[in-house]
């Protein structure tokens, strides 16, 4: 330790500590400006000057390390005079239109103002800089006003080291100095991803959202992002029952970061398009109705359908809704609907993960925590466009790579992460199994398998090894279309580093062989002993805000809450006791089977809560035909959607900002939502609507008064949620399941001592080619997926004008060489045709996509990629092959 004296107080600190940190550690504050978090100090603003006895000049405390015996004075007349001068300079350079400024009332300059008064600093110098620079308003979401910029460089640091987008720099010299993308490119034309993370750290209003109300008068409510599974904490600023701004804070999963959706795409909450009353279809038209009339009709139709037998009722639950909503929904379908026909979008998403990891490990969830990225020496990303679909995890992976960890990316498209990869493998779509098998073959060839781990923690290795001995790296690489040497390099990089994580998502799961792909990732981790240790694991990045929770709550045909199997008589008995009902015996239908059942008349009553299957399910024409034939369909949503066009009754629900409840994020963390605004019109909480219908039918066990009460019931029947309660979450406890008691925070990573199933199981997965193969009639392979700005069927994101400005139109990504063959220019409209249907969209050139491939986002209902998709499901997980569709194109 180093001993020094600050303002007469003695203090001991670690060597290398700055004077500023040492002073703050004993409660002495020194004013700062450019100093920011733990980043290398700038030492540029000079607000933090202090006297170091014996030094020739004043020192910047933020950048000067302590020394043994040092004597520091932070408040001498000389120091104060120096700060006064700094303040006078800063003030002279600043536009004081405070009353209309974004940061009015919370600007760090207000602190300065306090300082200014304290230091008696005035706007002393007339400078030419003030008001001479134009405001950059080219980005749809925010502006940069150089006249308010104090050149602290915090925005540069955030963009460089946290968002890792590297676009900002100090431009120009002298009075003209400003912060801009290099070459002073307007932000709207730059590579800026509109994450807004620079706005969050700007001490002044130099960076400001275009749409804002004065910050100081707003109430703040902390809740959870309604979009992706990262589960970022959002602080909503509310004025007049309206969200006026959203910002992030430190210390949560997102630690200061957000993406464009979480930060800016909130207009939908107060959109005039929100559903405000129940609607009933009369003479083909949806007409406003009272709750009484609508609920009576739903209850009556449900009773009628039930009379037809146990398969006549089915429900689609929602990964957008809370755990409490999902719990009540599945309980309703099972106890009132008397059927296990309940499923949700996880079927289209990570069903293969749930099935595959259950076989390999015994449970199908992300094994690491997001924070563990910081411990990894190697990260292997495959089939996940992380920076667009889990942007904050993507940023964390980039941060780790910048700090020296190795990155391996295997993706058919050269996604952003591929730019930073040590090895990038451009594999053909549908070749995940040979990719992983080839890598494992290379590891075995090099003798790098972890024999101890294999012996002690796994089973099935002998048979697996025998199978592996039939393969060669060359053979596997050829199927994938990559250089075998690159495959070896990737494998050895992964195997030789101590700590490593695999990250995957839809590029692995959405295939006819999705389950095989998932089990192969598990094989790779077990072969190298990279599982069950901190910083090592297999990480299926869960997609929706609460898809983890919807699965945990048993919104799956074969699973009651906590993955307790409907096929297990003991489980059924336990729930029959807890719920005081007889439970159905039938094996439930999956989502795709439910839609088929609607079409062939076996399902007479379909309840859709918070899903939009007409856009999101495979083979749109098939879905539409099925729904046209449907007997009775209820849709509970927040907007009219493509699916409500087929509804007999539409029920208006709350959105996240109107709800209390919980979401479980991708790292199994249960997080609390807090009601921030009142819902429009007569909309109701999702769980309340379901409970009202249940009560109309005389069901017991639906007399809940709050989401909190529902969580108490969840905890009582779900082993992994035993220790969870709203109270604990309100008190700031951070909980990741499995949480087995009220004093446990749960598990940071899974499978530490043993796997959920005991021993990890090596599973044999050989290559099975995708059903769709390019042929003469359909010479190209289309992949479908997502883009950063839009979320799924756009019901929410399309209501933010800035999002529409950037990504308003559907498009098809095509390699320019392929386009040339078809005489197509960038921006031309083309028609894409598959055996299932056709759609038209503009072309967008991408040199990072193979000449034999196309990519299309599925967000756009009218030009929805799902008009083209369909085909054979994964036999175990029943997931459709969204990633491999044979197509042809024409101008
Ligand atoms: N912006 C945004 N973020 C989202 C969503 C959204 O709609 N918008 N949705 C959320 C949801 S529910 C989910 S499930 C996640 C999905 O997150 P991701 O899985 O990351 O998203 P996708 O775009 O579906 O597919 C990822 C990648 O798979 C690649 N791919 C295609 N075929 C193959 C293959 O055979 N092998 C490999 N290795 N890769 C392949 C594609 O090139 C694509 O880049 O995103 C979540 N986050
Ligand atoms: N071609 C292709 N198709 C795909 C995929 C792909 O990669 N390619 N990915 C698949 C995947 S992984 C997924 S997860 C699915 C997603 O498919 P969906 O879940 O059908 O898509 P969303 O647009 O998220 O639908 C959610 C609906 O819930 C509503 N909603 C939002 N919040 C609430 C709420 O609090 N309460 C209620 N009641 N309603 C609410 C929204 O308005 C919206 O209509 O799409 C799948 N489809
Ligand atoms: S919004 Fe994000 S990407 Fe754009 S400049 Fe700011 S930090 Fe960088
Ligand atoms: S824009 Fe804000 S954060 Fe960036 S240098 Fe200027 S004052 Fe600092
Ligand atoms: S990364 Fe995901 S959870 Fe975080 S702000 Fe973006 S959409 Fe929301
Ligand atoms: S805070 Fe130390 S120089 Fe700016
Ligand atoms: Mo998903």
């Amino acid at each position: 330790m180093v001993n020094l004296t600050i303002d007469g107080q003695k203090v001991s600190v670690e060597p290398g500590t700055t004077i500023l940190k040492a002073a703050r550690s004993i409660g002495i504050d020194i004013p700062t400006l450019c100093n920011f978090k733990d980043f290398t100090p700038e030492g540029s603003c000079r607000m933090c000057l202090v006297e170091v006895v014996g030094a020739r000049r004043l020192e910047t405390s933020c950048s000067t390390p302590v020394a043994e015996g040092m004597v520091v004075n932070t408040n001498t007349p000389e120091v104060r005079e120096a700060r006064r001068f700094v303040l006078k300079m800063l003030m002279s350079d600043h536009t004081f239109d405070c009353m209309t400024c974004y940061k009015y009332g919370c600007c760090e300059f207000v602190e300065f103002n306090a300082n200014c008064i304290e230091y008696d600093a005035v706007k002393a110098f007339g400078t030419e800089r003030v008001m001479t620079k134009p405001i950059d308003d080219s980005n749809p979401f925010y502006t940069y006003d150089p006249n308010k910029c104090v050149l602290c460089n915090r925005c540069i640091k955030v963009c460089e080291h946290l968002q890792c987008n590297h676009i900002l720099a100090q431009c120009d010299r002298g009075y003209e100095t400003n912060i801009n993308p290099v070459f002073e490119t307007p932000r709207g034309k730059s590579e800026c991803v509109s994450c807004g993370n620079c706005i969050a750290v700007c001490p002044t209003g130099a960076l400001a959202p275009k749409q804002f109300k004065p910050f100081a008068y707003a109430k703040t409510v902390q809740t959870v992002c309604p979009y992706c599974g990262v589960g970022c904490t959002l602080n909503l600023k509310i004025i007049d029952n309206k969200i006026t701004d959203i910002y992030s804070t430190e210390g949560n999963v997102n630690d200061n970061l957000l993406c464009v959706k979480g930060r800016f795409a909130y207009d939908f909450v107060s959109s005039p398009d929100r559903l405000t009353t129940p609607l009933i279809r009369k003479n083909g038209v949806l007409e406003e109705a009272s709750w009484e009339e609508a609920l009576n009709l739903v209850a009556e139709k449900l009773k009628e359908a039930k009379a037809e037998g146990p398969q006549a009722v089915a429900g689609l639950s929602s990964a957008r809704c809370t755990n409490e909503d999902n719990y009540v929904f599945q309980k309703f379908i099972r106890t009132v609907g008397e059927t296990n026909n309940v499923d949700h979008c996880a079927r289209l998403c990570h069903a293969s993960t749930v099935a595959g990891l259950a076989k390999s490990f015994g449970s199908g969830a992300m094994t690491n925590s997001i924070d563990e990225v910081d411990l990894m020496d190697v990260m292997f990303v495959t089939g996940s466009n992380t920076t667009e679909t889990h942007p904050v995890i993507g940023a964390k992976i980039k941060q780790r790579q910048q700090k020296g960890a190795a990155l391996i990316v295997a993706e058919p498209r050269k996604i952003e992460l591929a730019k930073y990869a040590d090895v990038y493998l451009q594999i053909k779509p549908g070749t995940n199994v040979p990719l992983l098998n080839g890598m494992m073959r290379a590891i075995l060839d090099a003798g790098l398998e972890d024999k101890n781990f294999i012996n002690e923690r796994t089973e099935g290795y002998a048979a697996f090894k025998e199978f592996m001995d039939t393969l060669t790296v060359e053979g596997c690489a050829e199927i994938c279309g990559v250089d075998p040497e690159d495959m070896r390099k990737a494998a050895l990089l992964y195997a030789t580093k101590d700590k490593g994580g695999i990250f995957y998502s839809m590029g692995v799961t959405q295939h006819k062989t999705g389950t095989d792909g998932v089990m192969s990732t598990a094989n790779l981790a077990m072969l190298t002993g990279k599982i069950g240790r901190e910083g090592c694991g297999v990480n299926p990045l869960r997609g929706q805000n609460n898809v983890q929770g919807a699965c945990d709550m048993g919104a799956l045909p074969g699973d009651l809450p906590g993955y307790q199997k409907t096929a297990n008589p003991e489980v059924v008995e336990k729930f029959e006791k807890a719920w005081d009902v007889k439970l159905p015996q039938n094996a439930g239908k999956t989502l795709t089977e439910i839609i088929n059942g609607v079409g062939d008349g076996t399902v007479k009553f379909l309840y859709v809560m918070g899903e939009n299957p007409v856009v999101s399910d495979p083979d749109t024409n098939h879905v539409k035909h099925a729904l046209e034939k449907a007997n009775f369909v209820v849709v509970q949503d927040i907007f009219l959607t493509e699916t409500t066009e087929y509804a007999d009754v539409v029920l208006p629900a709350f959105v996240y900002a109107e709800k209390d409840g919980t979401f479980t994020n991708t790292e199994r963390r249960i997080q609390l939502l807090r009601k921030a605004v009142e819902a429009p019109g007569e909309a109701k909480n999702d769980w309340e609507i379901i409970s009202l219908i249940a009560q109309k039918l005389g069901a017991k066990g639906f007399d809940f008064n709050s989401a909190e009460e529902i969580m108490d019931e969840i905890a009582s029947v779900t082993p992994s949620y035993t220790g969870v309660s709203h109270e604990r979450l309100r008190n700031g406890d951070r909980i990741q399941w499995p949480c087995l008691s009220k004093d446990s925070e749960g598990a940071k990573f899974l499978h530490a001592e043993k796997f959920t199933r005991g021993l990890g199981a090596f599973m044999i997965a050989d290559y099975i080619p995708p059903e769709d193969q390019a042929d003469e009639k359909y010479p190209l392979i289309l992949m479908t997926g997502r883009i950063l700005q839009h979320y799924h069927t756009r019901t929410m994101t399309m209501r933010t004008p800035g999002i529409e400005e950037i990504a308003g139109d559907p498009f098809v990504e095509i390699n320019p060489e392929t386009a040339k063959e078809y005489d197509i220019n960038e921006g031309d409209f083309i028609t894409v045709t598959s055996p299932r249907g056709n759609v038209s969209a503009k072309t967008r050139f991408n040199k990072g996509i193979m000449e034999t491939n196309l990519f299309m986002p599925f967000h756009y209902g009218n030009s929805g990629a799902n008009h083209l998709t369909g085909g054979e499901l994964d036999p175990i997980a029943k997931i459709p092959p969204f990633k491999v569709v044979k197509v042809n194109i024409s101008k």
Side-chain angles (χ1 to χ4, degrees):
M1 299 299 270
V2 179
N3 305 296
L4 69 160
T5 309
I6 306 177
D7 292 347
Q9 289 189 53
K10 295 223 177 303
V11 55
S12 299
V13 291
E14 299 271 348
T17 308
T18 61
I19 297 175
L20 176 67
K21 276 203 174 153
R24 286 186 173 165
S25 76
I26 52 169
I28 296 172
D29 197 30
I30 298 169
T32 57
L33 177 57
C34 66
N35 180 65
F36 178 57
K37 293 190 90 172
D38 287 334
F39 291 122
T40 321
E42 287 283 311
S44 67
C45 77
R46 313 194 76 74
M47 258 316 278
C48 66
L49 288 170
V50 293
E51 178 192 46
V52 176
V53 175
R56 273 186 298 154
R57 53 187 174 95
L58 299 180
E59 301 283 358
T60 49
S61 60
C62 69
S63 56
T64 309
V66 295
E68 185 60 36
M70 200 180 234
V71 177
V72 177
N73 293 312
T74 72
N75 214 9
T76 65
E78 195 194 355
V79 165
R80 291 179 65 83
E81 186 50 35
R83 287 192 195 137
R84 178 163 180 262
F85 183 74
V86 169
L87 280 168
K88 279 159 76 171
M89 295 283 280
L90 283 167
M91 290 179 76
S92 302
D93 256 5
H94 197 77
T95 314
F96 282 95
D97 54 359
C98 300
M99 300 297 277
T100 55
C101 177
Y102 171 54
K103 283 292 180 76
Y104 180 61
C106 65
C107 171
E108 290 181 37
F109 243 74
V110 170
E111 278 176 38
F112 277 163
N113 289 347
N115 282 323
C116 293
I117 293 163
E118 185 188 336
Y119 287 92
D120 192 23
V122 288
K123 192 162 171 147
F125 311 102
T127 75
E128 289 158 32
R129 180 163 175 262
V130 172
M131 297 304 278
T132 57
K133 284 269 177 180
I135 292 174
D136 179 0
D137 64 356
S138 58
N139 181 288
F141 300 103
Y142 71 95
T143 53
Y144 168 66
D145 181 352
N147 307 300
K148 290 184 186 169
C149 176
V150 295
L151 303 175
C152 68
N153 289 352
R154 286 188 192 177
C155 53
I156 299 180
K157 282 182 179 152
V158 163
C159 196
E160 179 90 17
H161 300 292
L162 294 183
Q163 182 59 30
C164 306
N165 205 26
H166 316 284
I167 66 158
L168 296 176
Q170 277 206 0
C171 303
D172 239 322
R173 285 283 176 274
Y175 287 137
E176 302 296 309
T177 313
N178 60 63
I179 311 289
N180 264 317
V182 274
F183 308 124
E184 297 198 42
T185 314
R187 282 167 172 74
K189 295 216 155 55
S190 72
E191 303 278 293
C192 171
V193 294
S194 305
C195 63
N197 294 324
C198 51
I199 305 174
V201 299
C202 180
T204 72
L207 290 166
K210 282 184 171 169
Q211 181 178 312
F212 73 86
K213 290 249 171 69
F215 219 80
Y217 300 119
K219 98 177 160 181
T220 305
V221 182
Q222 194 174 80
T223 190
V224 184
C225 180
Y227 291 111
C228 88
V230 178
C232 293
T233 299
L234 304 181
N235 296 295
L236 310 185
K237 282 285 178 188
I238 310 293
I239 296 177
D240 291 342
N241 201 40
K242 226 175 139 174
I243 302 174
T244 58
D245 194 20
I246 293 182
Y247 69 97
S248 61
T249 38
E250 276 178 51
N252 301 296
V253 291
N254 46 321
D255 220 0
N256 266 321
L257 298 181
L258 290 175
C259 80
V260 59
K261 295 178 297 303
R263 179 69 170 86
F264 293 112
Y266 55 79
D267 302 70
F268 75 93
V269 175
S270 57
S271 160
D273 304 336
R274 281 285 301 278
L275 292 170
T276 54
T277 68
L279 306 170
I280 296 179
R281 191 171 298 279
K282 289 177 184 158
N283 303 320
V285 194
L286 286 172
E287 289 180 8
E288 289 191 4
S290 69
W291 273 108
E292 191 56 23
E293 193 187 349
L295 296 181
N296 280 338
L297 180 61
V298 174
E300 183 190 315
K301 290 289 177 183
L302 176 60
K303 214 152 79 189
E304 271 174 39
K306 259 175 30 174
E308 308 253 345
Q311 295 291 25
V313 172
L316 299 181
S317 200
S318 177
R320 313 305 300 278
C321 289
T322 62
N323 285 321
E324 292 77 0
D325 296 333
N326 278 285
Y327 176 82
V328 172
F329 189 86
Q330 60 83 37
K331 185 178 179 186
F332 171 77
I333 295 292
R334 292 194 155 106
T335 65
V336 183
E338 294 173 30
T339 173
N340 283 315
N341 291 343
V342 56
D343 205 5
H344 71 286
C345 69
R347 187 66 47 203
L348 309 175
C349 186
H350 272 293
S352 10
T353 293
V354 174
L357 292 188
K359 280 184 190 273
S360 300
F361 300 155
S363 65
M366 182 159 159
T367 73
N368 292 121
S369 295
I370 297 170
D371 274 355
E372 283 170 76
V373 170
D374 276 345
L375 304 171
M376 290 175 184
D377 306 309
V378 58
M379 300 164 294
F380 175 26
V381 178
T382 181
S384 154
N385 186 7
T386 329
T387 56
E388 296 206 49
T389 56
H390 295 86
V392 166
I393 296 179
K396 294 202 174 192
I397 289 174
K398 288 190 285 180
Q399 288 174 21
R400 189 65 196 154
Q401 188 273 339
Q402 262 176 232
K403 288 182 195 152
L407 177 63
I408 304 162
V409 174
E411 254 276 346
R413 295 189 303 150
K414 205 162 182 199
I415 54 168
E416 188 194 346
L417 284 182
K419 275 202 299 203
Y420 305 105
D422 296 275
V423 188
Y424 167 53
L425 299 168
Q426 186 162 37
I427 58 168
K428 288 184 192 157
T431 63
N432 298 308
V433 171
L435 165 77
L436 293 156
N437 282 344
M439 286 175 68
M440 287 189 279
R441 182 67 257 169
I443 289 168
L444 287 168
D445 289 345
L448 287 169
E449 72 273 23
D450 185 335
K451 295 185 185 75
N452 280 342
F453 187 92
I454 295 167
N455 286 337
E456 285 162 22
R457 301 278 318 261
T458 69
E459 61 188 6
Y461 183 68
F464 172 76
K465 176 72 174 31
E466 209 170 285
F467 160 69
M468 286 305 298
D469 287 344
T470 65
L471 305 176
T472 61
V473 176
E474 274 67 22
C476 292
E478 194 183 339
I479 302 172
C480 300
V482 299
D483 182 342
E485 280 320 306
D486 288 345
M487 188 176 255
R488 275 199 187 93
K489 210 171 136 198
L492 301 196
L493 196 54
Y494 173 76
T496 49
K497 299 280 178 185
D498 178 29
K499 292 191 169 182
I502 303 172
F503 298 85
Y504 74 84
S505 199
M506 297 303 98
V508 170
T509 62
Q510 290 175 333
H511 293 283
K512 191 181 87 180
T513 53
T515 307
D516 288 347
V518 169
M519 293 188 306
S520 302
T521 64
N523 288 343
L524 175 62
M526 290 190 292
L527 187 71
T528 51
K530 284 190 174 47
I531 175 91
R533 270 193 292 148
E534 203 177 22
C536 294
V538 176
N539 296 299
L541 299 177
R542 302 301 304 254
Q544 301 249 45
N545 55 330
N546 195 37
V547 67
Q548 183 64 60
C551 292
D552 298 346
M553 292 303 107
L556 297 168
D559 297 78
L560 281 147
Y563 308 95
Q564 302 177 82
K565 304 293 170 202
T566 54
N568 180 344
E570 277 170 39
V571 165
V572 172
E573 200 183 317
K574 169 182 151 183
F575 276 90
E576 287 184 336
K577 236 192 195 149
W579 290 344
D580 192 17
V581 289
K582 219 61 220 126
L583 281 173
Q585 298 300 317
N586 69 312
K589 288 182 197 284
T590 60
L591 179 142
T592 25
E593 290 163 347
I594 289 172
I595 298 292
N596 292 342
V598 170
D600 68 24
T602 41
V603 173
K604 306 267 185 229
F605 175 99
L606 176 65
Y607 201 128
V608 182
M609 170 175 84
E611 291 211 341
N612 191 3
V614 169
V615 182
S616 59
D617 282 10
D619 198 346
T620 309
N621 292 325
H622 168 75
V623 177
K624 285 184 173 171
H625 286 146
L627 289 175
E628 268 160 19
K629 288 196 205 141
N631 200 289
F632 190 77
V633 179
V634 191
V635 177
Q636 181 166 310
D637 207 293
I638 56 177
F639 292 111
L640 288 175
T641 66
E642 290 81 355
T643 302
T644 59
E645 285 171 30
Y646 299 87
D648 297 285
V649 173
V650 176
L651 302 173
F654 285 2
V655 302
Y656 81 107
E658 294 148 5
K659 286 179 177 178
D660 291 312
T662 55
F663 290 158
T664 304
N665 81 348
T666 184
E667 53 169 3
R668 300 168 276 106
R669 187 181 300 285
I670 299 133
Q671 306 198 98
L672 195 62
L673 270 74
R674 293 178 185 82
K675 178 176 173 151
V677 290
E678 294 298 330
E682 298 170 24
K684 285 187 194 297
N685 231 334
D686 282 292
W687 61 260
E688 192 191 349
I689 302 172
I690 308 293
S691 301
L692 286 171
I693 300 167
Q695 284 169 332
K696 282 217 176 288
L697 289 161
K700 285 173 294 182
F702 289 89
D703 48 355
F704 302 109
N705 293 305
S706 65
E708 184 160 7
E709 253 180 56
I710 300 169
M711 181 49 84
D712 292 341
E713 182 173 316
I714 294 169
S716 73
V717 294
T718 314
S720 53
Y721 280 65
T722 305
V724 181
S725 71
H726 284 204
E727 191 187 0
R728 286 191 65 188
L729 296 169
R730 267 196 306 272
N731 292 340
D733 281 9
R734 305 190 75 209
I735 307 175
Q736 283 169 286
W737 68 252
C739 174
L740 305 179
S741 70
K742 294 276 180 227
D743 52 11
S744 151
E745 293 210 329
K748 185 169 182 188
F749 60 94
L750 298 180
H751 316 302
E753 305 291 317
K754 60 183 182 67
F755 286 96
T756 312
R757 70 183 291 284
L759 292 173
F762 276 97
M763 303 296 297
I764 294 171
D766 202 356
Y767 174 59
I768 302 169
E771 183 192 4
D772 274 16
Q773 294 288 331
D775 54 29
E776 240 171 65
K777 193 160 175 217
Y778 300 105
L780 298 169
I781 292 295
L782 168 80
M783 299 175 280
T784 65
R786 308 160 159 74
I787 56 170
L788 170 68
Q789 294 82 7
H790 271 304
Y791 198 82
H792 288 167
T793 65
R794 282 164 61 247
T795 62
M796 290 146 76
T797 43
M798 73 180 175
R799 290 178 165 90
T800 291
I803 298 270
E804 287 294 284
E805 192 181 321
I806 299 175
D809 296 320
F811 64 88
V812 187
E813 263 181 21
I814 185 169
N815 185 298
E817 292 303 317
T818 317
K820 212 190 279 168
E821 263 174 55
Y822 287 85
D823 192 23
I824 290 167
N825 293 314
E826 177 148 41
D828 282 354
F829 262 98
I830 61 168
T831 299
V832 185
T833 308
S834 84
R836 263 86 45 180
N838 64 70
V839 290
S840 296
K842 276 186 193 170
T843 54
R844 192 182 279 185
F845 282 5
N846 179 0
K847 284 190 196 139
I849 190 167
M850 279 180 268
E851 288 176 35
T852 46
N853 290 163
L854 303 171
F855 175 84
M856 226 185 147
F858 77 99
H859 305 300
Y860 303 89
N862 46 352
S863 270
N866 279 325
H867 287 92
L868 307 169
T869 59
E872 228 177 283
L873 306 177
D874 177 295
I876 304 164
K878 311 283 182 197
I879 196 168
F882 283 129
K883 294 288 185 270
V884 184
V885 185
K886 61 177 183 183
V887 295
N888 65 42
I889 54 173
S890 58
K891 217 166 153 170

